[in-house]
Amino acid sequence: MKKVAVIPGDGICPEVIGATLEVLKKVAPGQFEFREVSMGGNAIDKYGEPMPAESLKICQEADATLLGAVGGPKWDNMPPDLRPERGLLGVRKGLKVFANIRPAKIFAPLASACPLRKDIADKGIDFIIVRELTGGIYFGKHEAFTTPDGEKAARDVMEYTDHEIRRIAHVAFKMAMNRRKIVTSIDKANILTVSRLWREVVEDVAKEYPEVSLNHLYVDNASMQLIRVPHEFDVIVTENTFGDILSDEASQIVGSIGMIPSASLGDNNRGLYEPIHGSAPDIAGQDKANPIGTILCGAMMLRWSFGMNDEADRIERAVDEVLKAGLRTGDIFTEGTTLIGGSRMKDEIIARL
Ligand code: NAD
């Protein structure tokens, strides 16, 4: 029995997480033990804190964690330590995940949602961003100070160790081995010392994967190439801040925020799987939420934490078929397609498994 910790989250997330559990139960009956835990705004309401120790313990004991986004206007004015996002940082830290994986893949029936020129989109878009999640400037020393002249100043320190770069590079090369065998490492080595170390270590790791071709891009150039020749990318590996920015750019290239899953992985297979969207309080409780991003998180979990590739393929195929049949939630609706609610979308996917 595979143990899965389930964090339903806030806003629309209990709806889309509930849909995903139904899909998982259908595709692999009796194979999972789901343990629901409280985190985020709903945990603040119930326990007075965003990440109760008991919730974290259940996630740490599970084989994988499925997580819905947290937050919403109700908790926006809480003090920083008691905000729902604290729970998110707490669970990522507690599970020791350091690699955030975001696929950017265009589903053929949704090609019209791609904002790029048709001749570019038609070449196909299917790449993965492997973003380092626990180092760099977000986790370096942050300081606001006054200069000797009395002027206000601030600094944030960017720092990476050999070990941190090496382990994320291995994640990227291993992914590439199961794909088209191309790794693009993105840095700013013409300016940053950290980037020069990044490049040196990535090149060293590449020697262990002779079948994979490695190329390097500066981050400014990479942001252009992603919209000029997206079909040329296979696996991108980059540090925390560059990955944060480029992965949002990539999500826009492939269409709706409601369609994209992500995974955060550590040294073992115990991943944390979450859609990239937030809790969308504007549409919560109205059956308007697209469950596909979260359902695809379920497929990722099957593939990467449990090695259940056939079941993952079945889910991804069912999603593709529903889209081919012209069924759309509001966020991906275009003229000539059929508008349906989130729960019907889930039923249609289950019917095609
Ligand atoms: P959001 O992603 O929740 O919503 C942005 C827009 O996309 C909204 O119009 C929303 O209706 C739409 N949308 C999002 N997901 C959708 C889906 N599955 N189907 C259809 N439409 C969808 O971002 P936001 O509005 O900036 O944030 C709302 C709350 O979520 C905030 O409190 C924010 O802090 C939180 N948030 C949490 C996480 C997380 O926990 N990982 C991530 C991002 C935002």
Side-chain angles (χ1 to χ4, degrees):
M1 192 71 101
K2 297 161 179 69
K3 280 194 276 179
V4 179
V6 179
I7 301 176
D10 301 318
I12 58 167
C13 289
E15 301 166 38
V16 294
I17 290 277
T20 303
L21 298 188
E22 280 189 52
V23 169
L24 291 171
K25 283 177 196 161
K26 175 78 186 204
V27 83
Q31 296 215 33
F32 302 105
E33 181 192 318
F34 296 113
R35 288 195 70 184
E36 196 175 296
V37 295
S38 212
M39 194 270 276
N42 61 84
I44 296 173
D45 290 350
K46 250 197 226 162
Y47 306 106
E49 52 176 326
M51 184 80 241
E54 181 59 20
S55 293
L56 180 58
K57 188 163 167 271
I58 291 172
C59 296
Q60 286 169 326
E61 285 167 1
D63 300 314
T65 298
L66 197 56
L67 178 144
V70 296
K74 184 175 174 192
W75 305 282
D76 275 353
N77 296 320
M78 303 286 290
D81 271 3
L82 284 179
R83 293 192 47 140
E85 296 77 13
R86 277 288 154 149
L88 205 57
L89 296 179
V91 74
R92 285 180 182 155
K93 194 165 166 221
L95 290 178
K96 298 197 171 81
V97 292
F98 60 82
N100 183 251
I101 321 286
R102 250 197 218 191
K105 180 175 172 175
I106 201 141
F107 283 87
L110 287 186
S112 61
C114 175
L116 300 182
R117 246 181 21 227
K118 187 170 176 318
D119 61 306
I120 297 177
D122 281 352
K123 290 190 179 129
I125 300 174
D126 181 4
F127 61 89
I128 284 187
I129 297 188
V130 177
R131 165 188 167 194
E132 204 290 328
L133 203 56
T134 60
I137 208 163
Y138 292 172
F139 289 87
K141 192 171 175 193
H142 308 293
E143 237 182 324
F145 59 98
T146 307
T147 67
D149 301 337
E151 194 181 358
K152 275 193 197 168
R155 70 168 75 94
D156 301 279
V157 177
M158 182 188 248
E159 193 173 317
Y160 269 105
T161 63
D162 180 302
H163 161 73
E164 287 170 322
I165 303 168
R166 203 166 283 278
R167 66 183 182 180
I168 191 83
H170 276 293
V171 173
F173 281 99
K174 281 184 185 142
M175 297 241 151
M177 285 298 288
N178 290 318
R179 296 176 48 96
R180 302 198 319 270
K181 300 193 174 61
I182 308 166
V183 168
T184 304
S185 172
I186 294 176
D187 60 38
K188 190 70 184 166
N190 49 343
I191 307 225
L192 300 176
T193 315
V194 169
S195 285
R196 284 195 282 277
L197 175 67
W198 181 276
R199 210 173 259 223
E200 186 187 316
V201 176
V202 170
E203 278 177 0
D204 196 37
V205 172
K207 292 178 194 148
E208 295 177 45
Y209 302 87
E211 287 172 57
V212 178
S213 78
L214 166 68
N215 52 72
H216 302 277
L217 282 182
Y218 297 139
V219 62
D220 41 353
N221 185 20
S223 69
M224 292 195 290
Q225 302 309 330
L226 275 177
I227 54 174
R228 209 177 67 82
V229 283
H231 67 280
E232 288 187 359
F233 291 92
D234 180 21
V235 176
I236 287 172
V237 62
T238 191
E239 64 87 47
N240 203 345
T241 311
F242 298 160
D244 191 5
I245 298 165
L246 293 177
S247 56
D248 270 16
E249 181 186 357
S251 71
Q252 283 312 296
I253 291 174
V254 295
S256 165
I257 196 170
M259 294 286 303
I260 304 174
S262 85
S264 299
L265 306 176
D267 275 327
N268 49 37
N269 289 339
R270 289 185 189 183
L272 175 68
Y273 298 86
E274 52 182 311
I276 66 156
H277 62 74
S279 58
D282 53 329
I283 55 167
Q286 301 168 39
D287 196 26
K288 288 183 177 165
N290 184 352
I292 293 179
T294 313
I295 288 173
L296 292 175
C297 284
M300 267 180 145
M301 177 178 83
L302 296 184
R303 200 183 296 284
W304 291 346
S305 283
F306 302 130
M308 298 167 73
N309 291 332
D310 290 347
E311 289 84 350
D313 284 347
R314 279 171 62 202
I315 295 176
E316 287 164 358
R317 257 200 316 270
V319 168
D320 207 33
E321 281 174 22
V322 166
L323 296 173
K324 275 192 193 127
L327 303 173
R328 304 279 191 275
T329 44
D331 56 315
I332 50 174
F333 174 75
T334 46
E335 236 179 68
T337 59
T338 309
L339 181 65
I340 59 172
S343 59
R344 164 108 188 264
M345 178 60 92
K346 171 257 305 172
D347 291 340
E348 296 285 348
I349 291 170
I350 288 177
R352 288 167 173 80
L353 279 172

